Amino acid sequence: MNLFMVLLGCTPEGRYTEQHDIFFGIAEELKDLIDDFNEFWPEAKGKLHIDVWRKVEYVDGYKVSIQPKTGGTKEKQLFFLNLGGYKPGDFEEYHYKTLCLGTTQAEAIKKAKKTSFYKHCGFEGANSHIDDKYGIDVDDVYNVEDILAPKFKTQFELTFTVDENCKEDNFNIGYLKLSTLK
């Protein structure tokens, strides 16, 4: 089984611009999650597409694995962070979605603040931020296991093993119709 991080998109009825949300799911293959995507975002009425997806295998020098649920405690947790930032003269808020391993949310935020996005997508009066909050507040920081659908949370847990040979995960970028996955 694999952990997938998926940027879903659609233009809901009554909206003028495409909307996005992040979905995390556990499956053997991405195509196995199609029904879960639609359950996650029912307002899209089956008109979802994928803009980016990632099979999460490595984060911060650790191998990410899926195991049957044991209920034990873990030192490290996987956090999803949605950073927001601005560029002078652009009528836009840019976002950078990242994963960080840490023992606490504060540790994950500290890592996220070292990213080039955080350093370069902000200026005086429009600082980069963890979305919806400024400074060290943590509104858009989530423990990935907490935001998995109940069917995944009850069956599986994430484990992390130091891996000296870890590589960067591949980001599959570009518009992808769900129908092409079947």
Side-chain angles (χ1 to χ4, degrees):
M1 299 299 272
N2 299 291
L3 175 66
F4 289 94
M5 178 180 178
V6 182
L7 179 64
L8 295 171
C10 76
T11 304
E13 190 174 318
R15 298 289 177 214
Y16 300 111
T17 60
E18 184 176 326
Q19 311 288 296
H20 293 95
D21 207 348
I22 288 289
F23 172 88
F24 289 94
I26 297 172
E28 288 183 25
E29 297 182 46
L30 183 64
K31 69 179 182 175
D32 299 332
L33 294 170
I34 292 173
D35 290 340
D36 299 296
F37 298 151
N38 289 310
E39 285 179 33
F40 172 73
W41 200 344
E43 301 83 6
K45 299 181 181 172
K47 296 180 181 176
L48 290 170
H49 65 270
I50 295 172
D51 283 303
V52 181
W53 67 273
R54 167 187 183 181
K55 181 165 55 169
V56 181
E57 297 181 276
Y58 301 99
V59 176
D60 294 343
Y62 286 78
K63 172 85 173 128
V64 178
S65 301
I66 309 300
Q67 304 296 326
K69 185 86 168 180
T70 64
T73 58
K74 295 182 281 187
E75 179 184 340
K76 299 258 184 215
Q77 301 292 317
L78 181 62
F79 292 96
F80 162 66
L81 296 92
N82 182 31
L83 304 176
Y86 307 93
K87 293 181 182 179
D90 281 4
F91 193 83
E92 186 67 60
E93 179 186 6
Y94 296 94
H95 286 93
Y96 179 72
K97 292 141 184 67
T98 190
L99 296 174
C100 294
L101 274 175
T103 55
T104 64
Q105 282 188 347
E107 184 181 339
I109 291 169
K110 186 176 179 180
K111 286 181 182 180
K113 286 185 175 183
K114 292 180 181 177
T115 65
S116 61
F117 176 89
Y118 196 87
K119 293 176 184 175
H120 300 293
C121 279
F123 55 95
E124 188 172 330
N127 297 325
S128 298
H129 58 279
I130 308 297
D131 218 24
D132 289 338
K133 295 285 184 173
Y134 293 89
I136 58 170
D137 292 332
V138 291
D139 208 40
D140 268 7
V141 179
Y142 301 97
N143 181 324
V144 170
E145 287 186 274
D146 291 343
I147 60 175
L148 286 169
K151 79 179 224 180
F152 302 125
K153 281 196 270 195
T154 58
Q155 293 183 59
F156 304 107
E157 66 186 25
L158 306 178
T159 60
F160 314 103
T161 309
V162 173
D163 188 333
E164 294 176 11
N165 300 314
C166 86
K167 53 188 176 189
E168 294 209 11
D169 290 342
N170 184 40
F171 291 11
N172 301 277
I173 301 170
Y175 186 92
L176 177 63
K177 291 182 180 182
L178 297 186
S179 61
T180 63
L181 293 176
K182 295 181 180 180

